[in-house]
Amino acid sequence: MRWSSALGWTVVLVIVAMGLSSCRRAPDQQQAIELSYSVFFPSTHIQTKTADAWAREIEKRTNGRVKITIYDSGTLTSPQQCYEGVVNGVSDLGMSCLAYTLGRFPLLEGLDLPLGYPNGMVATRIATELTEKYKPAEIADTHVLYIHAHGPGLLASKKPVKSLDDLKGLKVRATGLSRNIVEALGGTPVAMPQTDTYEALQKNVVDATLCPIETLKGWKQGEVISSITDATAIGYTTAMFVVMNKQRWERLPADIQRVFTEVSREWVAKHGQAWDQADAEGREFVKSLKRETITLSAEEQRRWKQAVEPVLNAYLEKTKAKGLPGDEFLKDAQDLVAKYSRSVGQ
């Protein structure tokens, strides 16, 4: 009886120990940090694929301790609501355009000015550098991981635009500061995100769109336009944030924060490369569709540059009125465009 009783207690103790062991292991098994990432690009777009590669790299370097689910095409938050969605915790992470909430980012709007950006790599590099340098209060309510920006905007239209005169009265899809560019060039700006542009062109709601050439393939807009006007002399960009909910960031362990920071630094160049690759593919796409490409004469380029000067001046006045260093920011941006454009030409 004693032996039987001892054996019984032994079995009980083993079962209890196994249960305790299981309980101790449960937190480890549930330790993966689940994060949601709202991206406004469609799943097929190269920038969504680049964002997905970023997320997978973070999962890899954290040994699976972080799991990131991407909600593309604005399914979790719309392009216009993405930033506030991150602030309010609707999503943990978000990527969209600063320009989609005009006035929300007054200093960083300077990134989108028509400064003659030569390509997406330069625009992305400048956008990240200046955001890191100035650390404006307007983005202090999130943790900024990095900024990227597309290649030079051009004019894609349903009829040829060879001069400023051809632009008069044209309804042109634009967003953020590009609306002011359209107005300065004599067109009529119609604000809308890329998600609505294909249908707007198809149904003649707008006559043209001011955009990087990659959108003509990435958003299939090349199918509903007939010509492209190369306006890189006033090449603007649209800067895009990749941000994280601030409280969510602060709750991450320090070693995981370091992984996010390291991977994000590497992905600045990857996004720049992706923009340039997308632009190259966009050019091939419109060529395959036999769309006309119009190159402005040197004189016409000068006219377009003069026409947009008021856009730069308006930015300076607006930031000055808000007590922001817009003049320094703009000079830095212009200097960096000139500096990096020289290296592009070498």
Side-chain angles (χ1 to χ4, degrees), residues 91-166:
S91 67
D92 300 304
L93 297 148
M95 177 200 294
S96 190
C97 302
L98 294 164
Y100 283 160
T101 46
L102 193 60
R104 177 67 170 77
F105 308 100
L107 186 67
L108 292 181
E109 282 178 11
L111 295 171
D112 294 1
L113 290 168
L115 305 178
Y117 291 100
N119 57 39
M121 179 64 81
V122 168
T124 293
R125 187 172 179 180
I126 291 172
T128 295
E129 281 189 29
L130 291 183
T131 302
E132 289 179 350
K133 176 179 179 178
Y134 284 87
K135 294 181 174 58
E138 62 209 45
I139 54 170
D141 48 3
T142 61
H143 178 76
V144 179
L145 292 162
Y146 58 96
I147 309 288
H148 60 98
H150 66 61
L154 47 73
L155 187 74
S157 54
K158 298 181 72 92
K159 65 179 185 179
V161 174
K162 299 180 180 180
S163 70
L164 280 179
D165 299 329
D166 294 334

Side-chain angles (χ1 to χ4, degrees), residues 23 27 39 68 136 156:
C23 290
V39 176
I68 300 172

Side-chain angles (χ1 to χ4, degrees), residues 170-182:
L170 278 191
K171 292 178 292 182
V172 184
R173 174 268 171 197
T175 234
L177 272 181
S178 65
R179 291 161 55 185
N180 299 344
I181 297 171
V182 169

